[in-house]
Amino acid sequence: MKGWLVLLSRVFYAMSWFYLSPVLPLLSQELGFPLSLSGLVPTSFFLGAGSMQLPSAFLSTKLGMKRTMGLGLVIMGLGNVVVSRAGNFPQLLVAYAIVGIGASMFFSSGGGMLAFLNSRASTVLGVYNALFSVGGILAFAYGEVELRLGWRFPVAVLGLVTLALGLVTLTSSLPNPMGKWSTIRDARVLLLGLATSGVWGAYFAVGNLFPTFAFHFDDVSLEYASSLSSLLLVSAALGGAIAFVGDRVRGLLALIVPSVLSLASLALLYLNLAVGLFLVGMFNELAITVMYARAATVVGYTNASISLAEVNSLNMLCGIYLSAVAPLFGFEMWIAMALLGLIPLSLLALYSLVSRNTAGRNFR
């Protein structure tokens, strides 16, 4: 598989999504905000990343995929250094939103680069997503370091490493393909992003809010809750690893079945934390990877950075509300999350209709 630098960067990119999750209660105490507002911390990242996905995709048509993802890593790194210096809640939210902006520049161009360099979209993007889970696992493990040493220094170190990877990417020998902005008009990509927004949003809401939930409602230590949270990412890595089924199964079943099973598995968090986390992670990653592969395939791999940016932007902007709203339901948050996540999936019926009417058309 080609693109090892992209894959390595994906791991450190992923750490920036989760490294604050284990220390949210500590941030609440140190920066003086109530835990009921803790959902706004990951939400600020999602707003930064989601709002800039499409501008970043447009930028990639001008600068190329390599330069865009390299600049994204540089911005992420600098943003994390600023996070480590935050003195109050608003500063933390703004700084973490900047990290999200950098993430938006890396994700679609990185995925598009791998699709361009390799064949079999579901397989290569499955590895891409599996490594995101690896980075998430490392982030929760990194939470142990943050709890022991204080969160500021470890966050600054992560920022500097990410910055270095960005500079290496910019000076690397990777190709620099540029897609066509007209790809953005493909209705199939729009519907894929909207339909899976609840599935995407539920996964990241669980990943960011589970330690706080377990700490308050299951009376477990933050250290144990953070360690247990890594199970979500271990199973997600498995879901990405088996995403090759998307290259072999025709029709929407490869997307619908794991999407529904992922949301249904949220209810298991009330019965068995470990089993619930494992099934949510595995089915969710499988569903999202298959969706990414469809988005890349229908428009042609040269344009994959644009279609991936569009679906990811829609996932974020239409799915982030779950992270903000879920804590308001208290103990019932997982049930509310599952029901709200199922609603957008009905749009897959319209996607199927549009796909039949545009069969064979793409922007190659």
Side-chain angles (χ1 to χ4, degrees):
M1 185 175 295
K2 300 177 182 178
W4 66 268
L5 182 56
V6 181
L7 296 174
L8 175 63
S9 299
R10 175 70 162 170
V11 174
F12 287 91
Y13 156 94
M15 290 184 69
S16 288
W17 286 72
F18 296 104
Y19 70 82
L20 288 181
S21 177
V23 293
L24 280 177
L26 298 183
L27 292 174
S28 172
Q29 295 174 4
E30 183 175 332
L31 301 182
F33 63 90
L35 270 176
S36 60
L37 297 180
S38 61
L40 293 180
V41 177
T43 299
S44 67
F45 178 96
F46 296 158
L47 283 173
S51 63
M52 290 302 294
Q53 281 289 328
L54 294 182
S56 296
F58 179 76
L59 187 64
S60 73
T61 67
K62 304 301 180 182
L63 298 180
M65 294 183 191
K66 182 182 80 170
R67 291 175 183 169
T68 302
M69 69 180 185
L71 286 174
L73 290 169
V74 168
I75 292 173
M76 288 187 76
L78 293 174
N80 280 327
V81 172
V82 177
V83 167
S84 73
R85 304 296 298 171
N88 54 51
F89 190 44
Q91 288 178 9
L92 175 66
L93 296 182
V94 172
Y96 205 30
I98 292 173
V99 180
I101 290 172
S104 72
M105 296 175 66
F106 175 83
F107 166 76
S108 59
S109 290
M113 177 70 76
L114 287 176
F116 179 81
L117 292 173
N118 302 275
S119 59
R120 297 179 300 174
S122 288
T123 300
V124 67
L125 291 176
V127 174
Y128 191 57
N129 279 355
L131 288 175
F132 178 87
S133 299
V134 171
I137 293 169
L138 291 177
F140 281 108
Y142 205 54
E144 297 285 342
V145 178
E146 294 172 306
L147 290 170
R148 293 179 184 276
L149 300 182
W151 61 278
R152 293 184 183 274
F153 177 71
V155 170
V157 171
L158 174 61
L160 293 175
V161 173
T162 307
L163 171 61
L165 283 169
L167 295 176
V168 170
T169 298
L170 288 171
T171 57
S172 71
S173 60
L174 284 169
N176 193 40
M178 301 182 186
K180 296 179 180 178
W181 183 242
S182 57
T183 304
I184 204 73
R185 299 197 301 267
D186 195 306
R188 295 168 294 181
V189 178
L190 171 68
L191 290 170
L192 279 173
L194 290 173
T196 56
S197 61
V199 178
W200 186 97
Y203 175 85
F204 287 101
V206 172
N208 283 288
L209 298 175
F210 176 79
T212 301
F213 175 89
F215 176 72
H216 282 278
F217 294 110
D218 286 289
D219 197 27
V220 301
S221 68
L222 278 177
E223 290 82 357
Y224 177 72
S226 297
S227 298
L228 191 60
S229 295
S230 65
L231 187 60
L232 178 73
L233 296 145
V234 171
S235 62
L238 175 61
I242 63 175
F244 61 85
V245 299
D247 290 323
R248 302 180 181 181
V249 177
R250 293 185 177 276
L252 287 175
L253 283 181
L255 176 57
I256 294 173
V257 172
S259 295
V260 172
L261 290 176
S262 175
L263 291 169
S265 297
L266 288 169
L268 293 176
L269 291 172
Y270 296 111
L271 302 176
N272 188 298
L273 293 176
V275 172
L277 284 172
F278 186 88
L279 293 179
V280 168
M282 182 179 68
F283 288 126
N284 190 287
E285 195 70 14
L286 177 57
I288 296 302
T289 301
V290 171
M291 184 272 291
Y292 285 162
R294 280 184 171 270
T297 301
V298 296
V299 299
Y301 295 150
T302 302
N303 303 305
S305 65
I306 299 167
S307 63
L308 290 175
E310 184 174 355
V311 295
N312 206 38
S313 177
L314 291 166
N315 279 177
M316 289 183 181
L317 294 178
C318 298
I320 55 171
Y321 75 97
L322 289 176
S323 290
V325 170
L328 301 178
F329 288 89
F331 184 73
E332 291 78 24
M333 69 167 65
W334 308 130
I335 296 297
M337 198 180 297
L339 294 175
L340 291 171
L342 282 171
I343 295 173
L345 277 177
S346 61
L347 289 173
L348 288 178
L350 183 57
Y351 166 82
S352 181
L353 177 63
V354 172
S355 294
R356 285 197 297 269
N357 292 336
T358 58
R361 189 188 77 180
N362 58 39
F363 292 88
R364 293 180 187 275

